[in-house]
Amino acid sequence: MRGVCPMQRIKIIAGPCAVEDEEQTLTIAETLKKLGVKYFRGGIFKPRSSPYRWSGVGMDGIPLLYKVKDMGFKMVVEAMNPAQMELLYPVVDIFQIGSRNQQDSELLKVFGRQDKPVLLKRGMATTIEELVMAADFIISEGNENVFLCERGIRTFEPYTRNTFDINCIPAVKELCDHPIIADPSHGTGKVNLVIPVGMAAIAAGADGVMIEVHNNPAKAKTDGDQSLNLAEFELAMEKFEAVASAVGRALDVL
Ligand code: PEP
Ligand code: MN
């Protein structure tokens, strides 16, 4: 949309939960590229709730991340410890800190001592004020470039994987100057709910949306139930653009 200040543009971060293999990763990346998406997400080290589940391709995924980066994407990748942070540093543009690590203040400080932006996901049982304070641990070490991410919290509601806390979006705007990114994929855990909740987050003032996308969700090694297929993601982009434009904003796409 013309006349929308670049700061006001809504970031779209998309990609698989986990990078699995070359065909999966590049098929997804090519579709995202066609749709003008600038930020690619995809984990190679996956934090899991169960120690018995697949936990990512690990270091073998690094060359694949470079292939995607070479297509022109900015890379959003999770690191769970300082060693992973150092290993990923050259290929990553925004470090993701996952929900399971959001309360680890010493780890937050380590990310504060490097210069790349950090996407800090809300812990499953973290209050909004605690999330904002967690960002202060990063900032206290010198890195002020922190994006907060609402990804749903645990409630008594079992119908969805998590309960996306829409309140968090405007509340963060009231409490601090950090951009707030909405993750309706983890926030709902259900593919049919991802687009409407993403639209609601944009209407509520989110600075970006992070969406899990897979070329074959039924075969995804992680989070297939909440991953949009390529056609669904294209529809998501149309719906997000429509809501953004209704609230005087636009998507940050090429
Ligand atoms: C993810 O983004 O794939 C992820 C593991 O998210 P969270 O840390 O929010 O569970
Ligand atoms: Mn995931």
Side-chain angles (χ1 to χ4, degrees):
M1 190 198 241
R2 269 191 213 154
V4 177
C5 137
M7 290 295 285
Q8 287 281 77
R9 289 184 184 267
I10 295 160
K11 285 193 168 31
I12 303 292
I13 304 169
C17 178
V19 161
E20 296 170 14
D21 56 53
E22 182 154 336
E23 196 205 331
Q24 172 246 19
T25 304
L26 298 186
T27 306
I28 297 167
E30 275 154 22
T31 298
L32 299 182
K33 182 100 206 150
K34 279 192 210 125
L35 296 170
V37 172
K38 295 183 183 173
Y39 296 86
F40 183 94
R41 63 147 290 145
I44 59 170
F45 304 111
K46 293 304 300 176
R48 300 309 300 259
S49 299
S50 161
Y52 306 108
R53 314 252 338 239
W54 183 76
S55 60
V57 289
M59 281 169 59
D60 292 349
I62 290 182
L64 255 180
L65 294 179
Y66 273 110
K67 283 199 178 172
V68 179
K69 190 181 179 76
D70 287 347
M71 290 170 72
F73 286 100
K74 291 203 184 306
M75 305 299 288
V76 182
V77 186
E78 175 164 1
M80 290 184 281
N81 57 44
Q84 290 178 0
M85 187 189 85
E86 284 189 21
L87 202 68
L88 287 167
Y89 184 87
V91 72
V92 161
D93 295 284
I94 302 180
F95 275 114
Q96 177 171 319
I97 299 182
S99 289
R100 290 158 190 79
N101 291 319
Q102 181 256 287
Q103 289 175 307
D104 184 344
S105 55
E106 288 305 312
L107 184 66
L108 298 176
K109 286 198 243 168
V110 171
F111 281 90
R113 293 195 281 271
Q114 59 81 50
D115 59 1
K116 299 210 171 171
V118 175
L119 176 79
L120 180 62
K121 301 194 83 174
R122 182 177 181 183
M124 299 171 200
T126 297
T127 67
I128 294 169
E129 288 187 334
E130 285 165 349
L131 174 65
V132 172
M133 280 196 291
D136 291 344
F137 282 108
I138 301 173
I139 294 165
S140 70
E141 296 293 312
N143 184 358
E144 298 195 352
N145 211 343
V146 181
F147 296 82
L148 300 178
C149 179
E150 165 57 36
R151 49 76 75 204
I153 50 175
R154 280 226 169 126
T155 67
F156 59 80
E157 175 55 71
Y159 185 70
T160 49
R161 178 179 180 184
N162 292 295
T163 297
F164 185 86
D165 181 10
I166 194 83
N167 300 356
C168 180
I169 308 285
V172 161
K173 298 264 140 220
E174 235 167 49
L175 289 168
C176 65
D177 292 329
H178 304 306
I180 175 83
I181 307 293
D183 171 359
S185 304
H186 294 86
T188 63
K190 289 196 157 176
V191 69
N192 290 340
L193 304 189
V194 171
I195 296 179
V197 174
M199 291 165 74
I202 292 172
D207 299 291
V209 184
M210 180 154 87
I211 304 289
E212 286 188 339
V213 184
H214 199 283
N215 55 323
N216 187 353
K219 291 269 164 67
K221 289 193 170 173
T222 57
D223 287 352
D225 290 348
Q226 65 193 37
S227 297
L228 301 189
N229 66 29
L230 302 177
E232 287 162 345
F233 182 70
E234 190 166 352
L235 177 67
M237 291 293 277
E238 281 168 26
K239 300 271 189 186
F240 294 165
E241 179 67 55
V243 176
S245 144
V247 294
R249 302 182 71 193
L251 305 186
D252 180 19
V253 285
L254 291 168

